[in-house]
Structures are given as C-alpha cells and as structure tokens.
Amino acid sequence: MTLKEISIRNLMRRKGKAAFVLAGLVIGVATVIAIVSFVNAMTSNINNKLEKYGANILIVPKTENLALSYGGLSLGGVSFEMEEIREAELARVKTIKNAQNVAALGPLVLGVVEISKKRVLMAGVDFQVSGILKPWWRVRGAFPESDGILLGSEVARIMELSPGASLVVNGNKLAVAGVLEPTGSQDDQLVFTRLDTAQLIFGKQGKVSMAEVAALCKDCPIEDMVEQISEALPGAKVMAIQQVVKGRIEALTQYKNFSYGISGVILLIGGLVVFVTMMGSVRERTEEIGIFRAIGFRKLHVMKIVFIEAGIISTLAGIMGYLIGIGSANIAIYFFSDGQPIAVPFNYQLATAAIAIALVVGLISSAYPALTAARMDPNDALRAL
C-alpha cells in the first residue's frame, strides 16, 4: 500500500474532520476570490465607462484672467474674450506618443451673444464628434447646418423657442434646428452652433477658446496623455476632468485594500482550523503512527502521509473556493452595479492562484502536526495500545 493510498483511507475514515478542514479552507479561499473577482470586474467596468465618458481632457489657454466654469468643472484662468488657441496647433495632439488613444478632439469657440435682449453664452462646436464628446446629448429636432443653432433646454424654455424658429444673432439670421433635452449641466444654458459659424460671428477665424479631448485610456494613464499634450502645446493648459470616474476608482481601491485585510484574517482563521484539526487527528492516530514506525516507516514517510492528506483537502478547497467565490462575485456585482449585467469570466490564472493559496495555507498549517507525528516515539505509541 502506497503512502497516497494510506492518506486517502485516513481521510475516508475521518470524514467529519476532513470536512471541517475543507470548510475552513473553502471559506477563506472563496472570500479572497470573490473580492478579487468583484474588484477586477468593477474596475474593468469603470474603465469601459471611461472610454464612453465623453471628454476627459481639456485644453485651455494659459492666462491669468478671470475664471470660467463650464459644465460644472473649474477650468482655471480662462478668458474667452481675450485668449484663444490657434486651431491649426491642435493638430499636434495627433502626433503625441499615445495618439492612438485619442478618440475625438473637439475645438470650441465661446462668446457672449444677445438674443431677444438677453445675453447668452454661445459655443461653436464640431457636431461631427459631439456623439463621442457628449454621448449624453439627446436632441429634439436636428443638429444645425451652417446657418442654424442648437438651444440648451433652459435657453429654449426661458425664451420660449422651439425648432423652426428664426433668430438674429449679432446681425446674423440663424434658424433653431433643435433643442437639447435637459442634461443637468451648463449645456442647458448655452446656445450651440457650428464651429465655423461661431468663428465668423465672433471674428475669430482660425482660433478656438478651448478644446475637449475624449481619450481612450483604459490601458494607459490619462496623466501621461495630459503631459504629452502639454509638451505638444506649450502655450496651453491641459487638464484631466475625470473626477467622477477617478473617485469611484479610488473608492474601489480603498475597498480592495480593506477587503484584502479581511481576507487575510479569514485565511488566518482557516489556517488555524486546519492546524487544530490536523493536530487532533495526529493525536487520535497515535497507535496507528506507532505501528507505522514499528514496521519500518521513517519519519519522512509519516510526514508525507500528513502532507498528502493536507494536499488533497487543500486542492479540493481551492477548486471549490474558486467556484463559490466566482458565484458570490457575480451575485454581489448585480447589486452593486444597479442591476447592470456585468459578467465575471472564468480566469485560469485566478483559478490557479486559488488552488495555490489553499495549498500554501493547508501545507503550512499542517507542517507542525506532521513534524509532531514524525517525532512520535514508536515505543510510547505502542505502549498506549
């Protein structure tokens, strides 16, 4: 009979203790896998949302003049009445190292116009990239042509305008092509038109007040792109505006660190369960171990029997812990993601790590019981018969 067969028979005879050790390890491994899978899935989901978030980098002129708030974001010293960036210079953004991560570049011209005796902020934009830069926009009507404008919901409400109406803006007759649905941002209080139309109205041909950049930066830090764009445009100030996404990522990081600490405690408890149970099993098998030593088993053989038992249980615990952890992560994600379908795929590396964690904890916790069994005096063991 081989050492492996002896170990398996010992486990079959002591099913209760084996199940107790298995449960302790499964709980610890499943907790770690659930936390890692949950955090990885949520981080991946946030990264994917970051790619659809719209503009997450702003390019504005360097100036010491009045501050301007746009879209609820503080843009720093921006004075669109005095400072502009040359539109041709923005082409340098396509030459940066991470140019492949630039999904869209949208220049803006900002200025104040008078409509129906009310002063309104007008923005000239490139509507061809607005779907990427402002994916939340919903328009009642259509996007304007060269002689049209798009009204924010608040502007349309206050001035009682709707698609089809005509307005005179700084001596230019423009038609209302559409009205934005409420966005909850400063866009509701702006009037939008095509970039070239706004440049003509404000006399700023070839100049822009700022530019918005949508960066696909799932695999590269946006901070790197900000630095690269700053080097390409030394006369501009470049800022990342991903506070919301960044806040969620930081919250996840803090949760991950805290959860790893909890997981470590749970693994420690699981290791103690293995230690206590294996020690009890060794003491119960004093006579059996004495017989093994008496018939010629060496200390190494006795230790191997204990380690094989721990290895078998640990491997099963790793497999079960991974499956239970993945299932738990899928359930948790459903509640933490507002019911959105975010699947946790099977991960071979994580599955291997789960088995490795279980083996390490199981074998380390069984080391002292195995050593105790090996040091047992066969004469004392047989005397107890």
Coordinates of all heavy atoms in Angstrom, one line a residue, residues 39-108:
V39 N -13.7 43.2 -7.5 CA -12.9 44.4 -7.7 C -12.4 44.5 -9.1 O -12.5 45.6 -9.8 CB -11.7 44.5 -6.7 CG1 -10.8 45.7 -7.1 CG2 -12.2 44.7 -5.3
N40 N -11.9 43.4 -9.7 CA -11.4 43.4 -11.1 C -12.6 43.7 -12.0 O -12.4 44.4 -13.0 CB -10.8 42.0 -11.4 CG -9.5 41.9 -10.7 OD1 -8.9 42.8 -10.2 ND2 -9.0 40.6 -10.6
A41 N -13.7 43.1 -11.8 CA -14.9 43.3 -12.7 C -15.4 44.7 -12.6 O -15.7 45.3 -13.7 CB -16.0 42.3 -12.4
M42 N -15.5 45.3 -11.4 CA -15.9 46.7 -11.3 C -14.9 47.6 -11.9 O -15.3 48.6 -12.5 CB -16.2 47.0 -9.8 CG -17.3 46.2 -9.2 SD -18.9 46.6 -10.0 CE -19.1 48.4 -9.6
T43 N -13.6 47.4 -11.7 CA -12.6 48.2 -12.3 C -12.6 48.2 -13.8 O -12.5 49.2 -14.5 CB -11.2 47.8 -11.8 OG1 -11.2 47.9 -10.4 CG2 -10.1 48.7 -12.3
S44 N -12.8 47.0 -14.3 CA -12.9 46.9 -15.8 C -14.2 47.6 -16.3 O -14.1 48.2 -17.4 CB -13.0 45.4 -16.2 OG -13.2 45.2 -17.6
N45 N -15.3 47.5 -15.6 CA -16.5 48.2 -16.0 C -16.3 49.7 -15.9 O -16.7 50.4 -16.8 CB -17.6 47.8 -15.0 CG -18.9 48.5 -15.4 OD1 -19.4 48.4 -16.5 ND2 -19.6 49.1 -14.4
I46 N -15.6 50.2 -14.9 CA -15.3 51.6 -14.8 C -14.4 52.1 -16.0 O -14.6 53.2 -16.6 CB -14.7 52.0 -13.5 CG1 -15.8 51.9 -12.4 CG2 -14.2 53.4 -13.5 CD1 -15.3 52.1 -11.0
N47 N -13.4 51.3 -16.3 CA -12.5 51.6 -17.4 C -13.3 51.7 -18.7 O -13.1 52.5 -19.6 CB -11.4 50.6 -17.5 CG -10.4 50.7 -16.5 OD1 -10.2 51.8 -16.0 ND2 -9.7 49.7 -16.1
N48 N -14.2 50.7 -18.9 CA -15.1 50.7 -20.1 C -15.9 52.0 -20.2 O -16.1 52.6 -21.2 CB -15.9 49.5 -20.2 CG -15.1 48.2 -20.5 OD1 -14.0 48.3 -21.1 ND2 -15.5 47.1 -20.0
K49 N -16.5 52.4 -19.0 CA -17.3 53.6 -19.0 C -16.4 54.8 -19.2 O -16.9 55.8 -19.8 CB -18.0 53.7 -17.6 CG -19.1 52.7 -17.4 CD -19.8 52.9 -16.1 CE -21.0 52.0 -15.9 NZ -21.7 52.2 -14.6
L50 N -15.2 54.8 -18.8 CA -14.3 55.9 -19.0 C -14.1 56.1 -20.5 O -14.0 57.3 -20.9 CB -12.9 55.6 -18.4 CG -11.8 56.7 -18.5 CD1 -12.3 58.0 -18.0 CD2 -10.5 56.2 -17.9
E51 N -14.1 55.0 -21.3 CA -14.0 55.2 -22.7 C -15.2 55.8 -23.3 O -15.2 56.4 -24.4 CB -13.7 53.8 -23.4 CG -12.3 53.3 -22.9 CD -12.0 52.0 -23.7 OE1 -12.8 51.5 -24.5 OE2 -10.9 51.5 -23.5
K52 N -16.4 55.7 -22.7 CA -17.6 56.2 -23.2 C -18.0 57.5 -22.4 O -19.1 58.0 -22.6 CB -18.7 55.2 -23.1 CG -18.4 53.9 -23.8 CD -19.5 52.9 -23.6 CE -19.2 51.6 -24.2 NZ -20.2 50.5 -24.0
Y53 N -17.1 58.0 -21.6 CA -17.5 59.0 -20.6 C -17.6 60.4 -21.3 O -18.2 61.3 -20.8 CB -16.4 59.1 -19.6 CG -16.6 60.1 -18.5 CD1 -17.6 59.9 -17.5 CD2 -15.9 61.2 -18.4 CE1 -17.9 60.8 -16.5 CE2 -16.1 62.1 -17.3 CZ -17.1 61.9 -16.4 OH -17.3 62.8 -15.4
G54 N -17.1 60.5 -22.6 CA -17.1 61.7 -23.3 C -15.7 62.4 -23.1 O -14.7 61.8 -23.0
A55 N -15.7 63.7 -23.1 CA -14.4 64.5 -22.9 C -13.9 64.3 -21.5 O -14.6 64.5 -20.5 CB -14.7 66.0 -23.2
N56 N -12.6 63.8 -21.4 CA -12.0 63.7 -20.1 C -10.7 64.4 -20.1 O -9.9 64.3 -19.1 CB -11.8 62.2 -19.8 CG -11.3 61.4 -20.9 OD1 -10.6 61.9 -21.8 ND2 -11.6 60.1 -21.0
I57 N -10.3 65.2 -21.1 CA -9.2 66.1 -21.1 C -9.6 67.4 -21.7 O -10.3 67.5 -22.7 CB -8.0 65.5 -21.9 CG1 -7.5 64.2 -21.2 CG2 -6.9 66.5 -22.0 CD1 -6.4 63.6 -21.9
L58 N -9.2 68.5 -21.1 CA -9.5 69.9 -21.6 C -8.2 70.6 -21.9 O -7.2 70.5 -21.2 CB -10.3 70.7 -20.6 CG -11.8 70.5 -20.4 CD1 -12.3 71.5 -19.4 CD2 -12.5 70.5 -21.7
I59 N -8.2 71.3 -23.0 CA -7.1 72.1 -23.5 C -7.6 73.5 -23.5 O -8.5 73.9 -24.2 CB -6.6 71.7 -24.9 CG1 -6.2 70.2 -24.9 CG2 -5.4 72.6 -25.3 CD1 -5.9 69.7 -26.3
V60 N -7.0 74.4 -22.6 CA -7.4 75.8 -22.5 C -6.2 76.7 -22.6 O -5.0 76.2 -22.3 CB -8.1 76.0 -21.1 CG1 -9.4 75.2 -21.1 CG2 -7.3 75.7 -20.0
P61 N -6.4 77.9 -22.9 CA -5.2 78.8 -23.0 C -4.6 79.1 -21.6 O -5.3 79.1 -20.6 CB -5.8 80.1 -23.5 CG -7.1 79.7 -24.1 CD -7.6 78.6 -23.3
K62 N -3.3 79.4 -21.5 CA -2.7 79.8 -20.3 C -2.9 81.3 -20.1 O -2.6 82.1 -21.0 CB -1.2 79.6 -20.4 CG -0.8 78.1 -20.2 CD 0.7 77.9 -20.1 CE 1.1 76.5 -19.9 NZ 2.6 76.3 -19.9
T63 N -3.6 81.7 -19.1 CA -3.9 83.1 -18.8 C -4.1 83.3 -17.3 O -4.3 82.4 -16.6 CB -5.2 83.5 -19.6 OG1 -5.5 84.8 -19.2 CG2 -6.3 82.6 -19.2
E64 N -3.9 84.5 -16.9 CA -4.1 84.9 -15.5 C -5.4 85.7 -15.3 O -5.6 86.3 -14.3 CB -2.9 85.8 -15.0 CG -1.6 85.1 -15.2 CD -1.4 83.9 -14.3 OE1 -2.1 83.9 -13.3 OE2 -0.7 83.0 -14.7
N65 N -6.3 85.6 -16.3 CA -7.5 86.4 -16.3 C -8.6 85.7 -15.5 O -8.4 84.7 -14.8 CB -7.9 86.7 -17.7 CG -6.9 87.7 -18.4 OD1 -6.4 88.6 -17.7 ND2 -6.7 87.4 -19.6
L66 N -9.8 86.1 -15.7 CA -11.0 85.6 -14.9 C -11.2 84.2 -15.1 O -11.0 83.6 -16.2 CB -12.2 86.4 -15.3 CG -12.2 87.9 -15.1 CD1 -13.4 88.6 -15.6 CD2 -12.0 88.2 -13.6
A67 N -11.7 83.5 -14.1 CA -12.0 82.1 -14.1 C -13.4 81.9 -14.8 O -14.2 82.7 -14.8 CB -12.0 81.5 -12.7
L68 N -13.5 80.7 -15.4 CA -14.7 80.4 -16.1 C -15.1 79.0 -15.7 O -14.3 78.1 -15.7 CB -14.5 80.4 -17.6 CG -15.7 79.8 -18.5 CD1 -16.9 80.6 -18.3 CD2 -15.2 79.7 -19.9
S69 N -16.4 78.8 -15.3 CA -16.8 77.4 -15.0 C -17.6 76.9 -16.2 O -18.5 77.6 -16.7 CB -17.7 77.5 -13.8 OG -18.3 76.2 -13.5
Y70 N -17.3 75.7 -16.6 CA -18.0 75.1 -17.8 C -18.4 73.7 -17.5 O -17.5 72.9 -17.1 CB -17.1 75.2 -19.0 CG -17.7 74.5 -20.2 CD1 -18.7 75.1 -20.9 CD2 -17.3 73.3 -20.6 CE1 -19.3 74.5 -22.0 CE2 -17.8 72.6 -21.7 CZ -18.8 73.2 -22.4 OH -19.4 72.6 -23.5
G71 N -19.6 73.4 -17.6 CA -20.1 72.0 -17.3 C -19.9 71.6 -15.9 O -19.7 70.4 -15.6
G72 N -19.9 72.5 -15.0 CA -19.7 72.2 -13.6 C -18.2 71.9 -13.2 O -17.9 71.5 -12.1
L73 N -17.3 72.2 -14.1 CA -15.9 72.0 -13.9 C -15.2 73.3 -13.9 O -15.5 74.2 -14.7 CB -15.3 71.1 -15.0 CG -15.9 69.7 -15.2 CD1 -15.5 69.1 -16.4 CD2 -15.5 68.9 -14.0
S74 N -14.3 73.5 -12.9 CA -13.5 74.7 -12.9 C -12.3 74.6 -13.8 O -11.5 73.7 -13.7 CB -13.0 74.9 -11.5 OG -12.2 76.1 -11.4
L75 N -12.3 75.4 -14.9 CA -11.3 75.4 -15.9 C -10.1 76.3 -15.6 O -9.2 76.4 -16.4 CB -11.9 75.8 -17.3 CG -13.1 75.0 -17.7 CD1 -13.5 75.4 -19.1 CD2 -12.9 73.5 -17.6
G76 N -10.1 76.9 -14.5 CA -8.9 77.8 -14.2 C -9.0 79.1 -14.9 O -10.0 79.5 -15.4
G77 N -7.8 79.7 -15.1 CA -7.8 81.1 -15.7 C -8.1 81.1 -17.2 O -7.2 81.1 -18.0
V78 N -9.4 81.1 -17.5 CA -9.8 81.1 -18.9 C -10.6 82.4 -19.2 O -11.6 82.6 -18.5 CB -10.6 79.9 -19.3 CG1 -11.1 80.0 -20.7 CG2 -9.9 78.6 -19.0
S79 N -10.2 83.2 -20.1 CA -11.0 84.4 -20.5 C -11.2 84.3 -22.0 O -10.3 84.6 -22.8 CB -10.2 85.6 -20.2 OG -10.9 86.8 -20.7
F80 N -12.4 83.8 -22.4 CA -12.7 83.5 -23.8 C -12.8 84.8 -24.6 O -12.9 84.8 -25.8 CB -13.9 82.7 -24.0 CG -15.1 83.1 -23.2 CD1 -15.9 84.1 -23.7 CD2 -15.4 82.5 -22.0 CE1 -17.0 84.6 -23.0 CE2 -16.6 82.9 -21.3 CZ -17.4 84.0 -21.8
E81 N -12.9 85.9 -23.9 CA -13.0 87.2 -24.5 C -11.6 87.7 -25.0 O -11.5 88.5 -26.0 CB -13.5 88.3 -23.6 CG -15.0 88.1 -23.2 CD -16.0 88.3 -24.3 OE1 -15.6 88.8 -25.3 OE2 -17.2 88.0 -24.1
M82 N -10.5 87.2 -24.5 CA -9.2 87.7 -24.8 C -8.2 86.7 -25.3 O -7.4 87.0 -26.1 CB -8.6 88.4 -23.5 CG -9.5 89.5 -23.0 SD -8.8 90.2 -21.5 CE -7.2 90.8 -22.0
E83 N -8.3 85.4 -24.8 CA -7.3 84.4 -25.1 C -7.9 83.3 -26.0 O -9.0 82.9 -25.7 CB -6.8 83.8 -23.8 CG -6.2 84.8 -22.8 CD -4.8 85.3 -23.3 OE1 -4.3 84.7 -24.3 OE2 -4.3 86.3 -22.8
E84 N -7.2 82.9 -27.0 CA -7.6 81.8 -27.8 C -6.4 81.0 -28.2 O -5.2 81.3 -27.9 CB -8.2 82.3 -29.1 CG -9.6 83.0 -29.0 CD -9.5 84.4 -28.7 OE1 -8.4 85.0 -29.0 OE2 -10.4 85.0 -28.2
I85 N -6.7 79.8 -28.7 CA -5.6 78.9 -29.2 C -5.8 78.8 -30.7 O -7.0 78.8 -31.2 CB -5.8 77.5 -28.6 CG1 -5.7 77.5 -27.0 CG2 -4.8 76.5 -29.1 CD1 -6.1 76.2 -26.4
R86 N -4.7 78.8 -31.4 CA -4.9 78.6 -32.9 C -5.3 77.2 -33.2 O -4.8 76.3 -32.8 CB -3.5 78.9 -33.5 CG -3.1 80.4 -33.4 CD -1.9 80.7 -34.2 NE -1.5 82.1 -34.1 CZ -2.0 83.1 -34.8 NH1 -3.0 82.8 -35.7 NH2 -1.7 84.3 -34.7
E87 N -6.4 77.2 -34.0 CA -7.0 75.9 -34.4 C -5.9 75.0 -35.0 O -6.0 73.8 -34.8 CB -8.1 76.1 -35.3 CG -9.0 74.9 -35.6 CD -10.2 75.2 -36.4 OE1 -10.5 76.4 -36.7 OE2 -10.8 74.2 -36.9
A88 N -5.1 75.5 -35.8 CA -4.1 74.7 -36.5 C -3.1 74.0 -35.6 O -2.6 72.9 -35.8 CB -3.3 75.5 -37.5
E89 N -2.9 74.6 -34.4 CA -2.0 74.0 -33.4 C -2.5 72.7 -32.8 O -1.8 71.9 -32.3 CB -1.7 75.0 -32.3 CG -0.9 76.2 -32.7 CD -0.7 77.2 -31.6 OE1 -1.3 77.0 -30.5 OE2 0.0 78.2 -31.8
L90 N -3.9 72.6 -32.8 CA -4.5 71.4 -32.2 C -4.1 70.1 -33.0 O -4.2 69.0 -32.5 CB -6.0 71.5 -32.2 CG -6.5 72.6 -31.3 CD1 -8.1 72.7 -31.4 CD2 -6.1 72.4 -29.8
A91 N -3.7 70.3 -34.2 CA -3.2 69.1 -35.0 C -2.1 68.4 -34.3 O -1.9 67.2 -34.6 CB -2.9 69.5 -36.4
R92 N -1.3 69.1 -33.5 CA -0.2 68.4 -32.8 C -0.6 67.3 -31.9 O 0.2 66.5 -31.5 CB 0.6 69.5 -32.0 CG 1.2 70.6 -32.9 CD 1.9 71.6 -32.0 NE 2.2 72.8 -32.8 CZ 2.6 74.0 -32.2 NH1 2.8 74.0 -30.9 NH2 2.9 75.0 -32.9
V93 N -1.9 67.4 -31.4 CA -2.4 66.4 -30.5 C -2.3 65.0 -31.2 O -2.1 64.0 -30.5 CB -3.8 66.7 -30.1 CG1 -4.4 65.6 -29.2 CG2 -3.9 68.0 -29.3
K94 N -2.5 65.0 -32.5 CA -2.4 63.7 -33.2 C -1.0 63.2 -33.4 O -0.8 62.1 -33.9 CB -3.1 63.9 -34.6 CG -4.5 64.3 -34.5 CD -5.4 63.2 -33.9 CE -6.8 63.6 -33.8 NZ -7.5 63.6 -35.1
T95 N 0.0 63.9 -32.9 CA 1.4 63.5 -33.0 C 2.0 63.0 -31.7 O 3.1 62.6 -31.7 CB 2.2 64.6 -33.6 OG1 2.3 65.7 -32.6 CG2 1.7 65.2 -34.9
I96 N 1.2 63.0 -30.6 CA 1.8 62.6 -29.3 C 2.0 61.1 -29.3 O 1.5 60.3 -30.2 CB 0.9 63.0 -28.2 CG1 -0.5 62.3 -28.2 CG2 0.7 64.5 -28.1 CD1 -1.4 62.5 -27.1
K97 N 2.7 60.6 -28.4 CA 3.0 59.2 -28.3 C 1.8 58.3 -28.2 O 1.7 57.2 -28.8 CB 3.9 58.9 -27.0 CG 4.3 57.5 -26.8 CD 5.2 57.3 -25.6 CE 5.6 55.9 -25.4 NZ 6.4 55.7 -24.2
N98 N 0.8 58.7 -27.4 CA -0.5 58.0 -27.2 C -1.6 58.5 -28.1 O -2.7 58.5 -27.7 CB -0.9 58.0 -25.8 CG 0.0 57.2 -24.9 OD1 0.8 57.8 -24.2 ND2 -0.1 55.9 -24.9
A99 N -1.2 58.9 -29.3 CA -2.2 59.5 -30.3 C -3.3 58.5 -30.6 O -4.5 58.8 -30.8 CB -1.5 59.9 -31.5
Q100 N -3.0 57.2 -30.6 CA -4.0 56.1 -30.9 C -5.1 56.1 -29.8 O -6.1 55.5 -30.1 CB -3.3 54.8 -31.0 CG -2.8 54.1 -29.7 CD -1.4 54.6 -29.3 OE1 -0.9 55.5 -30.0 NE2 -0.8 54.1 -28.3
N101 N -4.8 56.7 -28.6 CA -5.8 56.7 -27.6 C -6.7 57.9 -27.6 O -7.6 58.0 -26.8 CB -5.1 56.6 -26.2 CG -4.3 55.3 -26.0 OD1 -3.1 55.3 -26.0 ND2 -5.1 54.3 -25.8
V102 N -6.5 58.8 -28.6 CA -7.4 59.9 -28.7 C -8.6 59.5 -29.6 O -8.5 59.3 -30.8 CB -6.6 61.1 -29.4 CG1 -7.6 62.3 -29.6 CG2 -5.5 61.5 -28.5
A103 N -9.7 59.4 -29.0 CA -11.0 59.0 -29.7 C -11.6 60.2 -30.5 O -12.1 60.0 -31.6 CB -12.0 58.5 -28.7
A104 N -11.5 61.4 -29.9 CA -12.1 62.6 -30.5 C -11.4 63.8 -30.0 O -11.1 63.9 -28.8 CB -13.6 62.6 -30.3
L105 N -11.3 64.8 -30.8 CA -10.8 66.1 -30.5 C -11.8 67.2 -30.9 O -12.1 67.3 -32.1 CB -9.4 66.4 -31.1 CG -8.8 67.7 -30.9 CD1 -8.6 68.0 -29.5 CD2 -7.6 67.9 -31.8
G106 N -12.4 67.9 -30.0 CA -13.4 68.8 -30.3 C -13.1 70.3 -29.9 O -13.1 70.6 -28.7
P107 N -12.7 71.1 -30.9 CA -12.4 72.5 -30.5 C -13.7 73.3 -30.2 O -14.8 73.0 -30.8 CB -11.8 73.1 -31.8 CG -12.3 72.2 -32.9 CD -12.5 70.8 -32.3
L108 N -13.6 74.3 -29.4 CA -14.8 75.1 -29.0 C -14.4 76.6 -29.1 O -13.3 77.0 -28.8 CB -15.2 74.9 -27.6 CG -16.0 73.6 -27.3 CD1 -15.1 72.5 -26.9 CD2 -17.0 73.8 -26.1

